Amino acid sequence: MTSVVRAGPRIPRPTIGRGTPACVGWVVVIVAGITNLASLLASQLWVYPDSIDYIQLAGGIADRFDLTHELFLVRTPGYPLFLAIVFWMFGASSPSAILVAQHAMAVATAVLTAAIAWRLTSSRSTAALAGILCACSLQVLAYANLVLTETPYTLTLIAALYCLVRYHHDPRRRWLVLASLLTGVGYLLRPIALYLVAVCSAAALLQVWKTRERRLPRLAVELARALVPALMMAAPWMAISAVSHRSLQASRCLDYLFYLRSVTFDGLDSTRSAAMTEIPQVVEEAKRAGH
């Protein structure tokens, strides 16, 4: 009599990042942790000219929750609010806290990049390569050392894209709603993020087309999920900005045109100033060199 041995239930492999294989996730976390730790230890917090605006606005929020400063005409409050929270919590240690927080964001960005690659390709090697390339990106590492919006904005953008990819494969409303909420957060960091509203809407339309439930009520519901959470996040600041600054900040370039101011540099308009004397000298030397 032949005995039949039945295989037991298959034990799923451990996963990380909502479906990303654990081995890939931990490799990316380790590589990103090492590169960001090296960047953190080898550098200090860098202040770019635009950083002064964010620090000044954050100081106003931290001291008296001031949202009426004219710099808010060209700066949304998301990043200044983040800096203000760091100022409140860490005081004199704020520069180090900002560095640590932004490098942690860079690690999270690398992990989400790997998760997106896994969702799109189901290839461990592709997911690992995508995450490692992001973890070793000099731009990602350098911007984590700067007091600028690039690091949190990139994380928000990647997180929104991850949610849209999840929504594409698993049409649960929470993924589209979360992507829309992240779009609103992105707007509070940089006004240009409003274009993600169109991306979320396109994802909703594609999902309706895929499911063949092409009825007007279903389309309206999906579009509402794509639009309403983002608008709920953005509308309060739009209202404040419209009242205080007469701007919806939908276009930062347009706001910059209205924000132009006459700036006088001490002595620069004098032909005897060092700066004005040096410019002709440099030009003449370039001409003599054949440039």
Side-chain angles (χ1 to χ4, degrees):
M1 183 176 179
T2 304
S3 60
V4 179
V5 179
R6 296 184 178 179
R10 185 177 179 182
I11 301 176
R13 293 179 180 272
T15 59
I16 188 173
R18 294 287 184 180
T20 307
C23 57
V24 173
W26 287 117
V27 166
V28 175
V29 168
I30 291 171
V31 173
I34 291 173
T35 56
N36 280 275
L37 181 61
S39 176
L40 182 64
L41 296 177
S43 180
Q44 295 178 339
L45 189 66
W46 301 339
V47 177
Y48 196 73
D50 285 354
S51 305
I52 304 301
D53 293 350
Y54 293 116
I55 294 172
Q56 185 174 354
L57 293 174
I61 294 175
D63 291 340
R64 54 192 180 279
F65 206 75
D66 179 20
L67 296 175
T68 62
H69 196 288
E70 67 172 359
L71 282 174
F72 277 121
L73 180 62
V74 290
R75 306 287 184 206
T76 41
Y79 193 62
L81 184 58
F82 161 72
L83 294 178
I85 292 173
V86 174
F87 295 164
W88 281 329
M89 295 178 63
F90 297 96
S93 301
S94 293
S96 298
I98 294 170
L99 270 175
V100 171
Q102 296 198 157
H103 279 286
M105 294 178 192
V107 173
T109 299
V111 173
L112 284 174
T113 300
I116 291 173
W118 167 256
R119 286 282 169 183
L120 293 177
T121 66
S122 297
S123 169
R124 294 185 183 186
S125 58
T126 301
L129 180 61
I132 290 172
L133 287 176
C134 181
C136 297
S137 168
L138 293 180
Q139 287 88 349
V140 172
L141 295 172
Y143 275 114
N145 293 319
L146 281 164
V147 182
L148 291 174
T149 60
E150 273 73 6
T151 295
Y153 178 73
T154 301
L155 175 59
T156 304
L157 174 63
I158 293 297
L161 291 178
Y162 173 74
C163 291
L164 289 176
V165 171
R166 288 298 303 267
Y167 174 69
H168 178 68
H169 290 98
D170 179 12
R172 298 180 186 177
R173 62 184 180 184
R174 64 182 181 187
W175 294 114
L176 184 58
V177 170
L178 187 55
S180 184
L181 285 172
L182 288 168
T183 295
V185 173
Y187 162 79
L188 294 177
L189 290 169
R190 306 188 77 165
I192 191 62
L194 276 181
Y195 81 90
L196 285 173
V197 171
V199 177
C200 291
S201 300
L205 292 174
L206 179 62
Q207 192 61 248
V208 171
W209 183 267
K210 281 174 53 181
T211 57
R212 299 184 182 277
E213 297 181 20
R214 300 164 193 170
R215 300 188 304 272
L216 187 58
R218 172 67 191 279
L219 179 61
V221 168
E222 291 301 306
L223 285 177
R225 291 171 182 166
L227 296 172
V228 172
L231 294 178
M232 288 178 61
M233 292 291 295
W237 175 247
M238 284 186 171
I240 293 173
S241 186
V243 172
S244 299
H245 312 296
R246 299 180 181 179
S247 167
L248 294 179
Q249 288 191 327
S251 170
R252 214 173 88 178
C253 294
L254 182 61
D255 291 327
Y256 268 128
L257 292 178
F258 292 127
Y259 186 68
L260 290 176
R261 297 287 189 270
S262 300
V263 180
T264 303
F265 293 92
D266 184 29
L268 192 59
D269 57 344
S270 171
T271 56
R272 294 173 295 177
S273 68
M276 295 302 291
T277 303
E278 184 180 5
I279 292 173
Q281 291 176 350
V282 172
V283 172
E284 290 301 321
E285 290 177 6
K287 288 181 178 179
R288 288 194 297 268
H291 297 293

